[in-house]
């Protein structure tokens, strides 16, 4: 099963229409795809990966190997409620916390900031292309996600260390993503990421030539009336080497109100922070149950307005 690859340079050529169709089909039928020729500085991408791997070796590796997950695995115990990962999270927008992360080197902080500046522009371009394909206003996703302070952007940096017993634990358990557009800079050597499509788990290969892997989250599915999908995915623990994942989330602001664009097919007028509270409790469960819970909440008191706090 060949994963769609979108060549962004084709958007400025006679292949634009063909490329837009490919993008639409990828969002509609897959919920994930790769993009190349995306304009992000490749030397910057390589530097982010190098500095992140070095940070893990110098600051995270020892504590991971002292973790409960590792100790349990050493005793050959199956682990169903933890993940085989070492990670940290960086907030970028609307306010950044990167300078509060004291263990990060100045070089890594500056390189990450420069990379994210370029990545946000790519996310905005991608959101506009999705809107064009959906036949809605070009800035609809950006404006909807903005809330009172602008879209929320953050990055989960994760290492999935070499695992002696990958049959006993997941790198990251099955889930869909809560938010909007996810842009993944991943390992170019070690596999492990898998997405569920047509009843089968699709193995996502390492990203060669600095392709960026994209998937869409639950809020894009809601906003698009279910036309675009958020796909179930997981990370398998691997025996051979550490896998690097730098996943940037272009999400709605906490107070952004998300609704289907035209008619109510999915939860309507939900506040993202309220959805997120439910998501944290049910991340590894079927997203359909979350959508149904939000719709039931909408029906309380006999109306369709959901979780809007009166001024």
């Amino acid at each position: 099963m060949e994963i769609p690859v979108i060549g962004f340079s084709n958007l400025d050529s006679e292949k634009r229409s063909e490329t837009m169709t490919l993008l639409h089909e990828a969002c509609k039928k897959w919920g994930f795809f790769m993009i190349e020729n995306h304009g992000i500085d490749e030397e910057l991408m390589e530097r982010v990966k190098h500095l992140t791997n070095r940070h893990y070796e110098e600051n995270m590796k020892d504590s991971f190997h002292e973790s409960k997950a590792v100790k349990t695995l050493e005793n050959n115990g199956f682990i169903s409620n933890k993940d085989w990962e070492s990670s940290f999270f960086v907030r970028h927008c609307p306010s950044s916390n990167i300078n509060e992360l004291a263990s990060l080197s100045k070089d890594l902080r500056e390189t990450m900031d420069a990379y994210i500046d370029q990545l946000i522009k790519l996310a905005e371009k991608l959101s506009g292309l999705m809107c064009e394909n959906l036949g809605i206003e070009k800035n609809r996703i950006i404006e909807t996600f903005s809330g009172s302070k602008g879209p929320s952007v953050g990055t989960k940096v994760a290492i999935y260390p070499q695992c002696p017993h990958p049959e006993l634990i997941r790198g990251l358990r099955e889930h869909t993503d809560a938010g909007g557009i996810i842009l993944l800079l991943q390992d170019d050597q070690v596999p492990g990421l898998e997405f569920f499509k047509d009843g089968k788990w699709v193995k996502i290969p390492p990203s060669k030539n600095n392709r960026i892997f994209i998937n869409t989250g639950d809020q894009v599915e809601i906003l698009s009336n279910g036309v675009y999908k958020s796909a179930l995915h997981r990370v398998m623990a691997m025996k051979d080497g550490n896998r690097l994942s730098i996943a940037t989330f272009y999400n709605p602001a906490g107070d952004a109100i998300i609704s289907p664009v035209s008619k109510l097919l999915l939860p309507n007028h939900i506040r993202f922070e309220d959805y997120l509270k439910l998501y944290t409790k049910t991340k590894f469960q079927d997203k359909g149950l979350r959508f149904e819970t939000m719709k039931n909440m909408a029906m309380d008191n006999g109306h369709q307005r959901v979780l809007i706090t009166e001024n």
Side-chain angles (χ1 to χ4, degrees):
M1 189 177 292
E2 190 170 349
I3 300 163
V5 178
I6 314 296
F8 262 40
S9 60
N10 291 331
L11 293 168
D12 298 320
S13 72
E14 68 280 358
K15 294 183 178 180
R16 188 179 196 279
S17 178
E18 174 186 337
T19 303
M20 290 293 287
T21 298
L22 181 60
L23 174 62
H24 183 59
E25 291 300 303
C27 293
K28 183 177 179 180
K29 296 182 179 180
W30 293 71
F32 57 96
F33 51 92
M34 293 184 178
I35 58 176
E36 60 185 7
N37 302 321
H38 39 64
I40 305 295
D41 188 305
E42 294 194 1
E43 290 186 7
L44 190 58
M45 296 170 73
E46 288 296 331
R47 187 157 182 77
V48 168
K49 291 190 287 186
H50 169 72
L51 291 171
T52 300
N53 280 321
R54 189 168 77 182
H55 175 76
Y56 169 76
E57 293 292 331
E58 295 177 354
N59 298 279
M60 301 170 68
K61 183 176 180 179
D62 290 345
S63 60
F64 173 76
H65 285 284
E66 293 297 320
S67 67
K68 185 176 180 179
V70 172
K71 299 300 182 185
T72 303
L73 209 67
E74 288 174 350
N75 295 322
N76 292 322
F78 181 78
I79 303 175
S80 62
N81 61 350
K82 292 186 181 299
D83 303 308
W84 187 263
E85 69 171 3
S86 179
S87 65
F88 63 91
F89 191 84
V90 183
R91 286 195 326 270
H92 307 296
C93 298
S95 62
S96 174
N97 72 339
I98 196 166
N99 290 322
E100 299 169 15
L101 303 178
S103 66
L104 301 185
S105 69
K106 180 181 179 183
D107 201 1
L108 176 53
R109 282 184 275 123
E110 291 179 348
T111 303
M112 178 70 76
D113 276 343
Y115 167 68
I116 294 300
D117 283 347
Q118 294 189 20
L119 203 66
I120 289 174
K121 293 176 182 177
L122 177 60
E124 292 173 342
K125 180 176 181 179
L126 189 55
S127 72
L129 295 172
M130 289 180 180
C131 288
E132 183 178 341
N133 271 334
L134 288 167
I136 60 178
E137 304 94 329
K138 185 175 182 179
N139 292 325
R140 182 64 178 264
I141 290 177
I142 293 176
E143 291 174 355
T144 300
F145 281 15
S146 289
S148 61
K149 297 181 180 178
S152 174
V153 182
T155 297
K156 178 185 176 183
V157 179
I159 298 287
Y160 298 93
Q162 184 174 353
C163 182
H165 300 290
E167 71 280 3
L168 298 178
I169 191 171
R170 290 277 190 267
L172 182 61
R173 288 162 286 167
E174 293 83 350
H175 66 287
T176 61
D177 289 323
I181 300 171
I182 298 84
L183 305 94
L184 173 64
L185 175 58
Q186 66 166 342
D187 204 278
D188 61 0
Q189 298 293 326
V190 181
L193 180 62
E194 297 184 353
F195 272 70
F196 197 69
K197 175 175 167 49
D198 298 336
K200 298 179 181 179
W201 285 103
V202 179
K203 297 181 186 298
I204 307 301
S207 292
K208 301 296 184 181
N209 302 317
N210 280 317
R211 286 176 172 173
I212 293 179
F213 184 86
I214 306 292
N215 68 280
T216 47
D218 295 349
Q219 305 311 303
V220 169
E221 181 163 338
I222 293 172
L223 188 146
S224 70
N225 282 335
V227 176
Y228 290 170
K229 307 300 183 185
S230 63
L232 191 68
H233 56 284
R234 66 188 183 185
V235 178
M236 305 301 287
M238 306 298 290
K239 270 191 173 181
D240 301 321
N242 299 341
R243 176 179 177 270
L244 172 64
S245 168
I246 303 174
T248 300
F249 299 83
Y250 184 80
N251 282 350
D255 63 352
I257 304 299
I258 310 299
S259 302
V261 171
S262 55
K263 60 182 180 179
L264 180 62
L265 296 180
L266 290 173
N268 194 10
H269 282 82
I270 66 171
R271 192 185 304 276
F272 181 58
E273 62 187 355
D274 294 313
Y275 182 88
L276 204 56
K277 288 177 183 176
L278 179 62
Y279 178 84
T280 58
K281 299 175 183 177
T282 62
K283 176 177 179 178
F284 300 108
Q285 299 176 19
D286 184 354
K287 69 185 174 190
L289 296 177
R290 287 196 293 276
F291 289 174
E292 191 63 30
T293 297
M294 298 305 289
K295 285 198 288 185
N296 289 339
M297 293 172 69
M299 296 303 296
D300 286 350
N301 300 320
H303 57 69
Q304 294 292 329
R305 298 173 59 199
V306 178
L307 303 173
I308 300 177
T309 302
E310 294 183 0
N311 293 327

